[in-house]
Amino acid sequence: MSLPAGIESSWLPVALSRQVRHRPLKRIVAGQPVVLWRADGKVNAFRDRCPHRNYPLSEGKVDGGRLVCPYHGWAFDAEGACRDVPGCVNADTSRLKAETVDVREAFGVVFVRLKPGEDDFDTALPPMPDTQDHHHFWWAIRPQAGRIYDALDNVLDPFHTNFIHDGYIRVKSRRQRVEQTLHIHEDRFEAVYVQDTDHGWMSRALEGPRARSTGTYYPPVAFQGRWEGPTGLTLCVTIWFVPEADRVMRPFARFSTPKNRGPAWLTEVLIRLFLFKVIEQDADALKKLRDNIETFGGPRFRAGPADRLSDKLMALYLGQSLTPETQGPFEIWL
Ligand code: FES
Ligand SMILES: [Fe+2]
C-alpha cells in the first residue's frame, strides 16, 4: 500500500500564499517536483523541470513576469510558453513549453492538482466554516516522517488520546462514557461523539462545555474535526496530510473559531501554544509506526473491538465506495 487512490486528481494545499513571493518555491507533491512562482500577483505552477535539458526551474528567477531557467536562460510565461531563447534571433519557440500544473489560490493558501481535469475546485474541498462569523488561521506543519494512511487513522482514532496525549486531551486513568455514532456516505464517513468535555487540561482550558464532536474523513487525504458546545461550534480544524513521498508528508491545517469566542490573535496564540505538544506527540508516534512497519516488511493490522472506522477508512483510501448507512450509537469509554 502506498499513496491513496485519486491523489493526483485532488486539490492539495502545498504552500501558504505568503510563502510564494518573488522567488520560485519548490515543492514535492506525491513524489513529483513542482515549482510555484508569482507574476503580476498571480501564482503559477509548473513541473519543476526545464523542457530543454531538465534543469530544475525552481533554481531560476522570476524576471519581467517570466520564469527564467538558470542553465541557458530560456524564459517561460505564465502559460508555460517559451518567450525567449538567449542568443537566438527570430527563433520559433512554439514547441518549447514548460509543463504547467493546475493551481488555485484561495483562503490564503496555494492548492495544486497534478492531473489536469475539469474545474471542480469550488466543490472539491471539505465544507469550510463561513468567513463572516469565524476567524481562521493556517498552520503549515513541518514535513514529517510518517505514512499518510497512519496519519488519517491516528486523527480519526479517539482511543490513542488517553495514552499518547494523556493529560493533554484525555486522561488515561479517568475515562468517561461516550456515545459514538457513525454516519457512512458513499464517498466519506463521519463519527459523532456525544459526551461531556474531555478531562485533559487542554480541552478544559480551551473549550468550555461540550455538546458533541465530529470527525469526518474526506478522501483522499483530508480530515475535518468539529467541536460543538451548547450554543454551536467552538472549533473546526481541517487538515490535509499532503504526501511529499510515500513515507513523508507535509500537513496543512486550517483552524476556524467563531468570532464571539475572542479576538483572532488570542485564539491563534492559545491554540498554537496548546497544540504544539500534541502535534509533536503524534509526529513521534507516526514516525515509529512507519519505521516499524518497514522493519517488519510492510503493514499488518489486527482490528480490535473498538476499531469500527478502520475498514471504512481502508476502503475509501483504496478508492472504493461505501454503502450509506448509520451505525450505532455505541457505548465507548474515553
Ligand atoms: S536547461 Fe533550461 S534553458 Fe537549458
Ligand atoms: Fe493524536
Side-chain angles (χ1 to χ4, degrees):
M1 185 176 64
S2 55
L3 296 177
I7 189 73
E8 300 209 330
S9 314
S10 84
W11 289 98
L12 302 167
V14 293
L16 302 178
S17 287
R18 63 170 182 267
Q19 293 173 319
V20 188
R21 299 162 104 148
H22 311 298
R23 291 155 63 114
L25 182 72
K26 184 188 185 96
R27 284 287 190 253
I28 313 278
V29 189
Q32 304 187 33
V34 170
V35 53
L36 306 172
W37 60 287
R38 194 182 286 278
D40 301 324
K42 188 177 153 288
V43 176
N44 308 299
F46 294 169
R47 303 266 170 187
D48 191 13
R49 186 174 77 94
C50 181
H52 184 214
R53 290 288 184 271
N54 300 285
Y55 205 92
L57 290 168
S58 56
E59 293 182 25
K61 60 176 184 183
V62 180
D63 188 8
R66 295 168 180 176
L67 180 58
V68 182
C69 177
Y71 200 18
H72 307 93
W74 290 18
F76 303 94
D77 69 13
E79 275 72 51
C82 180
R83 293 291 179 188
D84 188 28
V85 175
C88 302
V89 240
N90 298 330
D92 176 12
T93 60
S94 54
R95 291 177 307 109
L96 315 177
K97 286 198 70 162
E99 202 179 335
T100 57
V101 172
D102 288 347
V103 62
R104 290 290 290 268
E105 188 171 15
F107 310 111
V109 153
V110 177
F111 293 80
V112 301
R113 180 178 59 182
L114 293 171
K115 194 167 157 193
E118 59 188 70
D119 186 0
D120 62 353
F121 183 81
D122 293 330
T123 53
L125 303 186
M128 298 290 188
D130 183 357
T131 293
Q132 297 282 305
D133 311 324
H134 296 81
H135 300 301
H136 310 280
F137 72 92
W138 283 92
W139 196 338
I141 296 162
R142 64 175 170 76
Q144 293 179 352
R147 303 175 346 129
I148 303 289
Y149 180 86
D150 297 334
L152 291 163
D153 182 63
N154 169 282
V155 80
L156 284 158
D157 158 36
F159 288 90
H160 81 282
T161 56
N162 296 70
F163 280 79
I164 293 284
H165 311 302
D166 182 22
Y168 284 88
I169 297 179
R170 294 191 171 96
V171 177
K172 201 190 282 184
S173 57
R174 208 171 147 220
R175 290 179 180 255
Q176 59 173 319
R177 188 178 183 281
V178 177
E179 224 171 61
Q180 180 195 48
T181 307
L182 312 181
H183 299 284
I184 299 155
H185 310 265
E186 212 170 294
D187 60 348
R188 69 184 191 283
F189 63 81
E190 61 192 26
V192 180
Y193 301 91
V194 178
Q195 61 167 103
D196 292 332
T197 310
D198 296 317
H199 291 307
W201 60 269
M202 194 181 91
S203 310
R204 296 267 150 195
L206 280 185
E207 200 181 334
R210 182 186 301 174
R212 61 181 207 156
S213 65
T214 307
T216 308
Y217 172 41
Y218 291 95
V221 295
F223 162 86
Q224 188 173 75
R226 286 172 174 264
W227 287 262
E228 288 165 73
T231 58
L233 193 70
T234 50
L235 175 67
C236 177
V237 187
T238 313
I239 310 177
W240 285 260
F241 296 97
V242 181
E244 285 205 330
D246 196 2
R247 297 172 184 86
V248 180
M249 60 193 160
R250 190 187 276 272
F252 278 80
R254 184 181 195 244
F255 293 79
S256 308
T257 51
K259 286 187 174 164
N260 62 17
R261 287 192 61 84
W265 68 269
L266 184 63
T267 40
E268 175 167 352
V269 167
L270 287 176
I271 288 172
R272 282 178 181 271
L273 208 65
F274 283 109
L275 271 187
F276 184 77
K277 183 73 181 167
V278 169
I279 290 172
E280 289 295 308
Q281 288 167 334
D282 277 331
D284 179 60
L286 291 175
K287 181 173 186 308
K288 286 177 177 151
L289 300 182
R290 182 199 76 163
D291 291 348
N292 222 22
I293 282 169
E294 276 172 22
T295 304
F296 281 91
R300 267 175 291 164
F301 299 116
R302 176 69 55 91
D307 292 332
R308 295 191 176 92
L309 302 176
S310 329
D311 56 332
K312 299 159 192 68
L313 171 61
M314 182 64 87
L316 291 176
Y317 193 86
L318 294 174
Q320 299 157 5
S321 51
L322 302 175
T323 308
E325 62 171 319
T326 298
Q327 294 180 359
F330 303 103
E331 176 185 329
I332 57 177
W333 286 77
L334 296 173

